[in-house]
């Protein structure tokens, strides 16, 4: 199989627009969570990871793009930033594919459409196209001129990882010369209400992998990686952040909408992808069920090896496509030799893990793994490796 290189990274997050504010915030141990401004929330549960407003001018060039929704705009912005980072200009070259992952899709406009439908008996037909799950894929394809294979994937909390794995397969199998792949998610009032009424929100900031954690803080964002055959990237003199290797996906017994209860099969499935990892980017969010499962599984899979562990959701919030941002961070850890700290954790961590806290940890990173855990027993691990 053809080796796959990551040549571009585009991110919009609670830290701002672009790789620079994203990586600066993570490595500084900053927290991007702030009081939610976009919609009203009750006092005491107001923290969220909101992406600052994006200017449509310069991002949207087609006439149809004038109706673009917020989720699709974030996805498109991440694509344009990734292409620029890869030195590929503003439009996709020939034989380019595109893959996005999202757990929820368009939340805000779906609520607006349904509210009007229930109140008046009909929704706004001009709004409906934005509610279709693959709207971000369609807008980005039109704006960037992509005519190659495309896919919109939903895999709960591992949606970003699933899209990146799909993109790596397209490149490795020779179906495309370039593939943009990643994930996007928006923060919506309906989702926030569901989390609140389910008792899943943290009382303050989240504390990933902390035994005292009491819940999550929701967030949003988008991250896209430009993937190319390693030989092609070298031939054109492109910068190579890392190589991407998608480990085979696996599932373990779990409730359909819940987390696995037994860490042993999770550990067995992760043992090979983590066998030589220097750092693991965990899915930990501060949700006790997930963090307890993940910590126990990692401790068993690492089998006594001292491996750095970190998690980005404490800084950016919890959302289905957050794994795409974790993958972007993993690629940057490989290329810069810096592991960002986990925000919110007060040591000691669960299961005795070596979680990076306080300050970023410098050192050579040959392999950074994203463990890609999701509800329902799905595991979609990724490996970002030094060239």
């Amino acid at each position: 199989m053809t080796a796959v290189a990551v040549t571009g990274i585009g991110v919009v997050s609670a830290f701002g627009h672009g790789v620079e504010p994203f990586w600066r915030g993570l490595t500084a141990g900053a927290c991007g969570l702030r009081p939610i401004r976009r919609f009203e929330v009750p006092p005491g549960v107001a923290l969220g990871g909101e992406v600052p407003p994006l200017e449509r001018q310069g991002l949207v060039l087609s006439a149809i793009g004038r109706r673009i929704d917020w989720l699709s705009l974030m996805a498109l912005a991440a694509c344009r930033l990734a292409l620029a980072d890869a030195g590929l200009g503003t439009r996709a070259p020939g034989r380019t594919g595109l893959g996005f992952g999202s757990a929820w899709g368009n939340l805000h406009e779906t609520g607006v459409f349904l509210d009007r439908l229930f109140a008046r008996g009909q929704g706004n037909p001009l709004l409906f196209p934005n509610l279709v799950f693959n709207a971000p894929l369609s807008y980005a394809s039109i704006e960037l001129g992509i005519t190659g294979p495309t896919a919109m994937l939903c895999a709960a909390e591992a949606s970003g990882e699933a899209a990146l794995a799909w993109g790596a397969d397209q490149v490795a199998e020779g179906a495309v010369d370039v593939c943009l792949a990643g994930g996007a998610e928006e923060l919506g009032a309906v989702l926030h209400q569901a989390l609140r009424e389910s008792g899943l929100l943290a009382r303050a900031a989240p504390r990933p992998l902390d035994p005292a954690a009491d819940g999550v803080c929701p967030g949003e964002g988008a991250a896209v990686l430009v993937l190319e055959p390693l030989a092609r990237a070298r031939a054109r003199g492109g910068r190579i952040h890392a190589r991407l290797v998608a480990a085979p996906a696996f599932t373990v017994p779990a409730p359909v909408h819940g987390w696995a209860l037994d860490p042993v099969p999770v550990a067995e499935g992760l043992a090979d992808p983590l066998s030589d990892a220097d750092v693991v980017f965990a899915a930990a969010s501060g949700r006790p069920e997930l963090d307890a499962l993940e910590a126990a599984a990692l401790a068993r899979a690492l089998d006594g090896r001292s491996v750095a562990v970190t998690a980005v959701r404490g800084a950016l919030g919890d959302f289905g496509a957050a794994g795409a941002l974790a993958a972007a961070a993993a690629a940057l850890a490989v290329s810069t030799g810096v592991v960002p700290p986990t925000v919110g954790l007060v040591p000691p961590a669960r299961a005795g893990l070596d979680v990076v806290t306080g300050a970023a940890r410098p050192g050579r990173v040959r392999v950074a793994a994203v463990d890609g855990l999701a509800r329902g027993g799905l595991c979609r691990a990724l490996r970002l490796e030094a060239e």
Side-chain angles (χ1 to χ4, degrees):
M1 298 288 282
T2 301
V4 179
V6 178
T7 58
I9 302 174
V11 181
V12 294
S13 72
F15 287 128
H17 311 145
V19 166
E20 292 77 11
F22 170 72
W23 192 235
R24 183 172 60 248
L26 285 182
T27 55
C31 183
L33 305 178
R34 300 286 186 272
I36 293 174
R37 306 294 187 191
R38 193 171 304 156
F39 48 85
E40 291 186 7
V41 295
V45 287
L47 290 182
E50 292 181 312
V51 172
L54 286 158
E55 292 293 336
R56 298 190 182 202
Q57 186 177 4
L59 292 175
V60 177
L61 305 179
S62 71
I64 198 171
R66 295 171 188 167
R67 292 197 175 95
I68 195 168
D69 61 286
W70 174 239
L71 176 66
S72 299
L73 187 64
M74 287 193 292
L76 175 60
C79 286
R80 291 203 184 279
L81 289 166
L83 285 170
D85 186 57
L88 293 176
T90 59
R91 286 180 65 83
R95 282 178 48 83
T96 294
L98 173 65
F100 277 140
S102 181
W104 303 107
N106 182 321
L107 289 171
H108 172 68
E109 290 187 349
T110 298
V112 171
F113 181 89
L114 292 176
D115 284 345
R116 176 170 168 171
L117 179 65
F118 296 148
R120 305 183 185 181
Q122 63 178 16
N124 183 352
L126 296 178
L127 200 61
F128 184 79
N130 288 354
L131 314 187
V132 179
F133 194 73
N134 68 342
L137 192 78
S138 301
Y139 275 118
S141 296
I142 293 169
E143 291 290 332
L144 302 174
I146 291 174
T147 56
T150 61
M152 191 79 191
L153 297 98
C154 179
E157 290 82 3
S159 293
E161 293 93 328
L164 286 164
W166 178 87
D169 286 344
Q170 298 302 304
V171 173
E173 294 170 1
V176 295
D177 293 330
V178 176
C179 191
L180 284 76
E185 211 81 71
E186 73 174 349
L187 179 59
V190 171
L191 177 59
H192 191 278
Q193 181 180 350
L195 292 171
R196 185 172 72 248
E197 293 180 355
S198 300
L200 298 177
L201 294 182
R203 288 188 294 270
R207 301 170 65 172
L209 296 172
D210 190 321
D214 64 349
V216 304
C217 285
E220 66 179 2
V224 171
L225 305 185
V226 175
L227 309 177
E228 300 181 59
L230 182 60
R232 181 184 189 276
R234 287 172 175 167
R236 73 174 183 86
R239 177 178 55 182
I240 299 171
H241 293 284
R243 291 181 300 172
L244 174 61
V245 178
F250 66 94
T251 57
V252 300
V256 174
H257 299 295
W259 296 98
L261 301 178
D262 186 357
V264 174
V266 179
E268 291 172 347
L270 289 175
D272 186 56
L274 304 187
S275 61
D276 57 348
D278 299 298
V279 58
V280 177
F281 282 77
S285 62
R287 182 168 177 171
E289 306 97 308
L290 164 62
D291 291 9
L293 166 73
E294 186 173 30
L298 289 179
R300 187 180 182 94
L302 296 174
D303 195 25
R305 291 194 306 121
S306 180
V307 175
V309 177
T310 191
V312 304
R313 283 172 167 87
L316 302 172
D318 183 38
F319 50 100
L325 281 76
L332 291 166
V334 169
S335 63
T336 64
V338 177
V339 177
T342 299
V343 175
L345 168 63
V346 179
R350 288 180 182 268
L353 294 176
D354 179 19
V355 180
V356 181
T357 60
R361 185 180 297 180
R364 186 183 179 196
V365 179
R366 298 162 300 168
V367 178
V370 180
D371 65 20
L373 301 187
R375 287 171 297 126
L378 173 64
C379 301
R380 201 57 173 105
L382 303 172
R383 287 167 53 91
L384 284 301
E385 304 175 353
E387 183 185 0

